[in-house]
mmCIF file of all heavy atoms in Angstrom:
data_model
loop_
_atom_site.group_PDB
_atom_site.id
_atom_site.type_symbol
_atom_site.label_atom_id
_atom_site.label_comp_id
_atom_site.label_asym_id
_atom_site.label_seq_id
_atom_site.Cartn_x
_atom_site.Cartn_y
_atom_site.Cartn_z
ATOM 1 N N SER A 73 -9.027 -351.037 -32.173
ATOM 2 C CA SER A 73 -9.923 -349.897 -32.359
ATOM 3 C C SER A 73 -9.801 -349.399 -33.784
ATOM 4 O O SER A 73 -8.729 -349.122 -34.288
ATOM 5 C CB SER A 73 -9.554 -348.775 -31.379
ATOM 6 O OG SER A 73 -9.813 -349.191 -30.073
ATOM 7 N N TYR A 74 -10.950 -349.281 -34.435
ATOM 8 C CA TYR A 74 -11.067 -348.811 -35.818
ATOM 9 C C TYR A 74 -12.252 -347.864 -35.905
ATOM 10 O O TYR A 74 -13.099 -347.848 -35.049
ATOM 11 C CB TYR A 74 -11.279 -349.985 -36.765
ATOM 12 C CG TYR A 74 -10.106 -350.942 -36.785
ATOM 13 C CD1 TYR A 74 -10.003 -351.987 -35.903
ATOM 14 C CD2 TYR A 74 -9.052 -350.735 -37.679
ATOM 15 C CE1 TYR A 74 -8.905 -352.868 -35.879
ATOM 16 C CE2 TYR A 74 -7.959 -351.591 -37.671
ATOM 17 C CZ TYR A 74 -7.892 -352.621 -36.798
ATOM 18 O OH TYR A 74 -6.786 -353.440 -36.766
ATOM 19 N N VAL A 75 -12.232 -347.087 -36.960
ATOM 20 C CA VAL A 75 -13.347 -346.158 -37.223
ATOM 21 C C VAL A 75 -14.218 -346.702 -38.308
ATOM 22 O O VAL A 75 -13.725 -347.237 -39.299
ATOM 23 C CB VAL A 75 -12.741 -344.764 -37.657
ATOM 24 C CG1 VAL A 75 -13.829 -343.818 -38.090
ATOM 25 C CG2 VAL A 75 -11.906 -344.202 -36.525
ATOM 26 N N ILE A 76 -15.518 -346.580 -38.122
ATOM 27 C CA ILE A 76 -16.467 -346.870 -39.190
ATOM 28 C C ILE A 76 -16.525 -345.593 -40.027
ATOM 29 O O ILE A 76 -17.003 -344.577 -39.562
ATOM 30 C CB ILE A 76 -17.830 -347.285 -38.663
ATOM 31 C CG1 ILE A 76 -17.727 -348.629 -37.921
ATOM 32 C CG2 ILE A 76 -18.819 -347.410 -39.832
ATOM 33 C CD1 ILE A 76 -18.976 -349.088 -37.258
ATOM 34 N N ASP A 77 -16.020 -345.667 -41.286
ATOM 35 C CA ASP A 77 -15.859 -344.415 -42.002
ATOM 36 C C ASP A 77 -16.809 -344.241 -43.166
ATOM 37 O O ASP A 77 -16.937 -343.141 -43.695
ATOM 38 C CB ASP A 77 -14.397 -344.279 -42.475
ATOM 39 C CG ASP A 77 -13.827 -345.502 -43.138
ATOM 40 O OD1 ASP A 77 -14.570 -346.459 -43.427
ATOM 41 O OD2 ASP A 77 -12.607 -345.506 -43.369
ATOM 42 N N TYR A 78 -17.520 -345.269 -43.592
ATOM 43 C CA TYR A 78 -18.579 -345.080 -44.569
ATOM 44 C C TYR A 78 -19.466 -346.307 -44.698
ATOM 45 O O TYR A 78 -19.086 -347.382 -44.254
ATOM 46 C CB TYR A 78 -18.026 -344.649 -45.949
ATOM 47 C CG TYR A 78 -17.218 -345.693 -46.692
ATOM 48 C CD1 TYR A 78 -17.828 -346.610 -47.545
ATOM 49 C CD2 TYR A 78 -15.822 -345.756 -46.554
ATOM 50 C CE1 TYR A 78 -17.079 -347.552 -48.233
ATOM 51 C CE2 TYR A 78 -15.058 -346.659 -47.260
ATOM 52 C CZ TYR A 78 -15.715 -347.555 -48.101
ATOM 53 O OH TYR A 78 -14.978 -348.510 -48.781
ATOM 54 N N ARG A 79 -20.612 -346.074 -45.259
ATOM 55 C CA ARG A 79 -21.552 -347.160 -45.541
ATOM 56 C C ARG A 79 -21.510 -347.435 -47.052
ATOM 57 O O ARG A 79 -21.422 -346.478 -47.854
ATOM 58 C CB ARG A 79 -22.951 -346.777 -45.152
ATOM 59 C CG ARG A 79 -23.965 -347.862 -45.457
ATOM 60 C CD ARG A 79 -25.350 -347.475 -44.955
ATOM 61 N NE ARG A 79 -26.285 -348.541 -45.294
ATOM 62 C CZ ARG A 79 -27.548 -348.367 -45.537
ATOM 63 N NH1 ARG A 79 -28.063 -347.148 -45.424
ATOM 64 N NH2 ARG A 79 -28.302 -349.361 -45.860
ATOM 65 N N ASN A 80 -21.548 -348.700 -47.443
ATOM 66 C CA ASN A 80 -21.503 -349.048 -48.850
ATOM 67 C C ASN A 80 -22.909 -349.326 -49.336
ATOM 68 O O ASN A 80 -23.425 -350.452 -49.163
ATOM 69 C CB ASN A 80 -20.609 -350.267 -49.073
ATOM 70 C CG ASN A 80 -20.550 -350.703 -50.504
ATOM 71 O OD1 ASN A 80 -21.095 -350.080 -51.384
ATOM 72 N ND2 ASN A 80 -19.866 -351.798 -50.746
ATOM 73 N N PRO A 81 -23.571 -348.373 -49.973
ATOM 74 C CA PRO A 81 -24.961 -348.585 -50.432
ATOM 75 C C PRO A 81 -25.055 -349.552 -51.610
ATOM 76 O O PRO A 81 -26.143 -350.063 -51.912
ATOM 77 C CB PRO A 81 -25.412 -347.163 -50.827
ATOM 78 C CG PRO A 81 -24.154 -346.453 -51.229
ATOM 79 C CD PRO A 81 -23.077 -347.026 -50.326
ATOM 80 N N GLU A 82 -23.950 -349.865 -52.245
ATOM 81 C CA GLU A 82 -23.968 -350.808 -53.386
ATOM 82 C C GLU A 82 -23.575 -352.256 -52.993
ATOM 83 O O GLU A 82 -23.435 -353.088 -53.836
ATOM 84 C CB GLU A 82 -22.966 -350.338 -54.434
ATOM 85 C CG GLU A 82 -23.193 -348.914 -54.935
ATOM 86 C CD GLU A 82 -24.533 -348.750 -55.618
ATOM 87 O OE1 GLU A 82 -24.903 -349.693 -56.395
ATOM 88 O OE2 GLU A 82 -25.219 -347.749 -55.410
ATOM 89 N N SER A 83 -23.458 -352.504 -51.686
ATOM 90 C CA SER A 83 -23.038 -353.823 -51.225
ATOM 91 C C SER A 83 -24.056 -354.916 -51.502
ATOM 92 O O SER A 83 -25.247 -354.653 -51.560
ATOM 93 C CB SER A 83 -22.778 -353.750 -49.712
ATOM 94 O OG SER A 83 -22.414 -355.042 -49.251
ATOM 95 N N ARG A 84 -23.540 -356.130 -51.636
ATOM 96 C CA ARG A 84 -24.395 -357.310 -51.770
ATOM 97 C C ARG A 84 -24.899 -357.755 -50.426
ATOM 98 O O ARG A 84 -25.636 -358.724 -50.306
ATOM 99 C CB ARG A 84 -23.641 -358.453 -52.433
ATOM 100 C CG ARG A 84 -23.125 -358.143 -53.814
ATOM 101 C CD ARG A 84 -22.292 -359.297 -54.337
ATOM 102 N NE ARG A 84 -21.385 -359.737 -53.246
ATOM 103 C CZ ARG A 84 -20.713 -360.887 -53.253
ATOM 104 N NH1 ARG A 84 -20.787 -361.686 -54.225
ATOM 105 N NH2 ARG A 84 -19.934 -361.196 -52.250
ATOM 106 N N PHE A 85 -24.480 -357.079 -49.340
ATOM 107 C CA PHE A 85 -24.818 -357.451 -48.006
ATOM 108 C C PHE A 85 -25.608 -356.326 -47.302
ATOM 109 O O PHE A 85 -25.379 -355.146 -47.566
ATOM 110 C CB PHE A 85 -23.542 -357.759 -47.172
ATOM 111 C CG PHE A 85 -22.738 -358.876 -47.773
ATOM 112 C CD1 PHE A 85 -21.711 -358.613 -48.632
ATOM 113 C CD2 PHE A 85 -23.055 -360.192 -47.476
ATOM 114 C CE1 PHE A 85 -20.965 -359.598 -49.206
ATOM 115 C CE2 PHE A 85 -22.320 -361.212 -48.040
ATOM 116 C CZ PHE A 85 -21.267 -360.922 -48.889
ATOM 117 N N HIS A 86 -26.470 -356.690 -46.373
ATOM 118 C CA HIS A 86 -27.286 -355.741 -45.657
ATOM 119 C C HIS A 86 -26.440 -354.817 -44.789
ATOM 120 O O HIS A 86 -25.599 -355.288 -44.054
ATOM 121 C CB HIS A 86 -28.305 -356.516 -44.828
ATOM 122 C CG HIS A 86 -29.285 -355.640 -44.076
ATOM 123 N ND1 HIS A 86 -30.211 -354.904 -44.762
ATOM 124 C CD2 HIS A 86 -29.482 -355.419 -42.772
ATOM 125 C CE1 HIS A 86 -30.939 -354.220 -43.889
ATOM 126 N NE2 HIS A 86 -30.506 -354.531 -42.701
ATOM 127 N N LEU A 87 -26.720 -353.520 -44.862
ATOM 128 C CA LEU A 87 -26.066 -352.490 -44.031
ATOM 129 C C LEU A 87 -24.569 -352.704 -43.919
ATOM 130 O O LEU A 87 -24.023 -352.890 -42.841
ATOM 131 C CB LEU A 87 -26.682 -352.451 -42.648
ATOM 132 C CG LEU A 87 -28.086 -351.897 -42.564
ATOM 133 C CD1 LEU A 87 -28.616 -351.982 -41.127
ATOM 134 C CD2 LEU A 87 -28.200 -350.500 -43.100
ATOM 135 N N SER A 88 -23.885 -352.586 -44.973
ATOM 136 C CA SER A 88 -22.460 -352.817 -45.074
ATOM 137 C C SER A 88 -21.653 -351.574 -44.660
ATOM 138 O O SER A 88 -21.715 -350.517 -45.319
ATOM 139 C CB SER A 88 -22.078 -353.198 -46.516
ATOM 140 O OG SER A 88 -20.741 -353.414 -46.668
#
Side-chain angles (χ1 to χ4, degrees):
S73 294
Y74 296 89
V75 173
I76 295 176
D77 48 10
Y78 67 89
R79 179 176 178 210
N80 179 4
E82 303 297 319
S83 178
R84 300 175 316 165
F85 301 93
H86 184 66
L87 291 177
S88 180

